[in-house]
Amino acid sequence: MALTSSSRRLSLLAGALALVEAAFATHSAAAAPPAAGAEARMVVEAKELVYDEKKNTVTARGAVQIYYKGRLLEADRVTYDRNTSRVFAEGHATLTETDGSIARAERFDFTDDFKNGFIESLQVDTVNNTHFTSPRAERTGETTTFEMGTYTACEACRNDPAKPRTWSVRAKRIIHDNVEKMVYYEDASFELLGVPVAYVPFWSSPDPSVKRKSGFLSPVFIYRQQLGAGVGVPYFWAIAPDYDLTVTPIYFSRQGPFVTAEFRQRFDNGGYTIRGQGTHVGDTGAFAQAPLGAGNKQWRGALQSFGEFWLNDRWRAGWDITALSDRYFLQDYQQYNYLLQNYFFREASSTIYLTGQGPRSYFDMRGYYFQLLSPNDVQAQQPVVHPVIDYNRVFDIDPAATVGVGGQVELDANVTSTSANVANFESIQPRTLDRIYSLYNVCQIYGRAPDPAQSGCLLRGVGGDYQHATISGAWKRKIIDPVGGVWTPFAFARFVGSYLDYDRQGLFPIYNQSLSAIPNAAQGQFFNGADNRFRGQALPGFGAEWRYPILARSFIGDIVFEPIAQVIARPNETSIPSLVNIDAQSLVFDDSTLFEWSKFSGYDRFETGTRLNYGGQATLSLSNGGFINAMIGQSRQIAGANSYAQADAANVGLDSGLDSRASDIVGRFAFAPSSVISLVAKGRFDKGNLRARRLDVFATMNLDPISLQLQYANYASQPAIGFDVRRQGLSATGKYDITKNYFLMGTVTFDMSRYLYNSLTNPTTTYYGTTLTGSNLTGTAPLFSVATLGGGIGYQDECTTLSINYSQIYQPQSYTGLPARNQTVMVTLQLRTLGEAKFNYGVGSMLVNDGVGTAAALPR
């Protein structure tokens, strides 16, 4: 008996009568998934349905689709055997699971609930874009066994599907347990491009859909001369859904065991991480002796923790804390810290903070502790910040409620409290290093400080306690006059209070045979001889800014010319409220600060007197979205004392370009005709001869397949603030996409002022009885002296990332502590779903300056 139709739907009861009852039960002309609530029912769609009474089978033929409990079975022919309660699907057979994974086979042999059975020529494509294949597989409940199976996360080549995948795991048996969410491999081999490269008798990995699963992770391989060869296998323990622990034991052939443990926990409103590292040094002679290295210290390690929690939708609190056994630990054990990449400025900072942010308000309170990582620095000079508080709020004024005044009001407040044990004195004109280690910048006060003509010292940091509070309020309003001019009148008031309690007992250990140590009591010379006391000041001011944009149209685009003038009037300051300057030592005068009400970078200093700022800019807007912009301007002190010519303890303001009545000229040129290229050049030029005193150039080019970023800086010497030589450098970073998958990348920084080659880092030094005579290469080193260098080649596709990188960075040499080029090769292989393997190889290090002594001649 046979029933046929052009399109027929049959709804059947699950179980033994499924297809038989469908033959007589329900008929439909349209195909559609079952309605909601019908998950327990089986729905069949086919072009033809045949019931064989003798064999007791029902066969569906032609574009067969069977829906049952969220699964979809498709085939050219499906036969249901009532005697055995089994379903056979043949011809383009496909089974789509409830999670979206798709199984394709020549033939399915299933029980009527699709849970158990055998499959021939199986290919499974999961929702995670991973793939299993097998000539024969068996399915039992939630476990699938692939005989002679393969697994990969790589896609097939579109042009040649028969081409081997980038990588695959081939095994005698692959068992996928969907309950444990694990995949087990027996007699497995790892293949690259179809070629076996590794064999593992037994191996397991988490199901590709699993984000967190306890187990061993990919091994880590490290080699460095001071450590020896090291290998470690991390273990990840998913303790609970919201917290986990990763432990990585590493054994170094020269230094012994090294352990890293990281605990993480997440909450609905945030989370935190605790990371600890520790070791017992096996060979202390591999590292430099104090003060150039950790010396004979045997127990070494680090403890780091960071976390953040949202208290509500506006407030959050957190911390980022680092504690080290010694300043050399991170470098000696190759623990990455981006601050270690800079030779002269390296430190680990710890902070605890509370931050709140509203639509037009901001609050931040935090404390800081800094642990120095360079042998050139003295830890006792570092201040502890406890705390620094910032508050800012902006709100509009209703003109109707203020007799037409209107405008905008901004409130700004800052409180800073710091303390340090020892004053931070720094020599200038010229810089002087100690004669024993040539590490510490030392000086001798021989005149009235802080006049640079009478003193060879700056006071960078106070030894003692210092509190500073500032609160200011400002009003401004924008008005457009009848001819199109934009006027912005403004007024402000600033209130400052500070208290200094400097320590007279501390002593700066300068390690110099010819200069005596400078006591903290010498700080009094920098404060005009004043005793510890409270200082305060109220400073009102007002002014106006005028702009007149002029629009012109041309055949290449619209041009806007805009002359700008700004005048600010304040009382003449008779004395600086506090000669202490902790937070305003970075003064950069350029186009971005020309029209600031105060060009000082922090709260300890503020602009006074009456000053006129003027300039103009022009912008050409191109039709393709590109633009060209140019700006030029100058500042002039027209009344009162010039605050930038009044030296504080750190001489900030001197040599800034603002310390004369008429300032240097600043300018900017920005050129971005398209998304392919952009150029920004910023400079400060001598007002008399237009010689460049400060120049910054940034350029990017995206010429597919090449991308390049360039940065050039050239700063004239500023002897009054301690920079007695011109600083000049060039950095370049680029990438070349050889093909869609292969790429080259590189970065280089040139020290064009030979800063690393001069006597600052290459003096004649006695080190454990070995004399290292450093030649002063200033002026003889190549103009493009390499400061840092890095490069690599890589491959990347949807399942694999392989990179080989080389880096050369200036760091103190581990076993001498002297300036050196440290070279490292790192190989990283990432296999999607399987993990990541890293190999870090220390090629070696070369002293910056070749002298009488060499690295090989020094004790290790």
Side-chain angles (χ1 to χ4, degrees), residues 167 190 203 205-206 216-221 232-234 248 796 799-803 805 826-839:
W167 62 264
F190 181 78
W203 184 40
S205 64
F216 290 99
L217 306 179
S218 301
V220 178
F221 302 96
V233 180
T248 307
Q796 185 174 20
C799 64
T800 308
T801 299
L802 173 64
S803 63
N805 296 295
M826 176 177 284
V827 179
T828 302
L829 176 63
Q830 294 177 325
L831 304 177
R832 189 172 69 86
T833 74
L834 291 186
E836 176 183 75
K838 291 184 178 181
F839 177 66

Side-chain angles (χ1 to χ4, degrees), residues 479-487 546-549:
I479 302 171
I480 301 177
D481 63 26
V483 296
V486 181
W487 294 84
W546 172 81
R547 296 172 181 253
Y548 189 70

Side-chain angles (χ1 to χ4, degrees), residues 440-638:
Y440 308 106
N441 185 301
V442 298
C443 61
Q444 186 175 26
I445 298 177
Y446 54 84
R448 178 177 171 79
D451 184 353
Q454 299 295 325
S455 174
C457 288
L458 297 179
L459 181 62
R460 290 293 190 187
V462 174
D465 298 326
Y466 177 63
Q467 286 80 36
H468 183 277
T470 302
I471 182 169
S472 63
W475 167 87
K476 64 180 179 180
R477 182 182 179 184
K478 184 177 293 186
I479 302 171
I480 301 177
D481 63 26
V483 296
V486 181
W487 294 84
T488 305
F490 55 85
F492 58 85
R494 185 173 184 266
F495 304 91
V496 180
S498 66
Y499 182 78
L500 172 65
D501 182 8
Y502 66 88
D503 180 9
R504 292 179 171 82
Q505 303 303 316
L507 191 68
F508 174 49
I510 60 174
Y511 302 110
N512 194 301
Q513 295 173 345
S514 62
L515 299 178
S516 59
I518 303 176
N520 276 359
Q523 296 176 93
Q525 298 188 43
F526 291 84
F527 310 140
N528 292 333
D531 294 328
N532 296 334
R533 65 174 182 172
F534 173 83
R535 292 170 179 258
Q537 184 187 58
L539 183 69
F542 64 92
E545 181 180 287
W546 172 81
R547 296 172 181 253
Y548 189 70
I550 303 171
L551 175 64
R553 298 187 181 277
S554 69
F555 66 95
I556 59 174
D558 296 336
I559 304 175
V560 176
F561 300 94
E562 188 178 40
I564 308 170
Q566 181 191 70
V567 62
I568 309 172
R570 287 156 294 216
N572 186 19
E573 185 178 53
T574 56
S575 65
I576 302 175
S578 174
L579 288 173
V580 178
N581 184 352
I582 299 296
D583 69 355
Q585 295 188 20
S586 176
L587 173 58
V588 176
F589 176 46
D590 60 12
D591 63 292
S592 64
T593 58
L594 175 61
F595 294 102
E596 293 290 333
W597 296 354
S598 175
K599 299 167 184 57
F600 287 108
S601 59
Y603 290 94
D604 279 330
R605 295 294 305 274
F606 194 77
E607 192 177 282
T608 59
T610 301
R611 181 170 286 270
L612 174 66
N613 305 311
Y614 51 89
Q617 64 177 340
T619 302
L620 170 62
S621 299
L622 305 176
S623 57
N624 65 350
F627 70 91
I628 300 175
N629 173 267
M631 181 266 186
I632 191 170
Q634 191 177 27
S635 181
R636 182 178 292 270
Q637 188 82 21
I638 59 177

Side-chain angles (χ1 to χ4, degrees), residues 671 676-681 696-702 708-712 731-733:
F671 176 69
V676 174
I677 186 172
S678 67
L679 171 71
V680 178
D696 290 284
V697 180
F698 311 88
T700 62
M701 289 178 285
N702 296 301
L708 183 66
Q709 297 83 40
L710 297 173
Q711 182 175 351
Y712 171 76
S731 69
T733 302

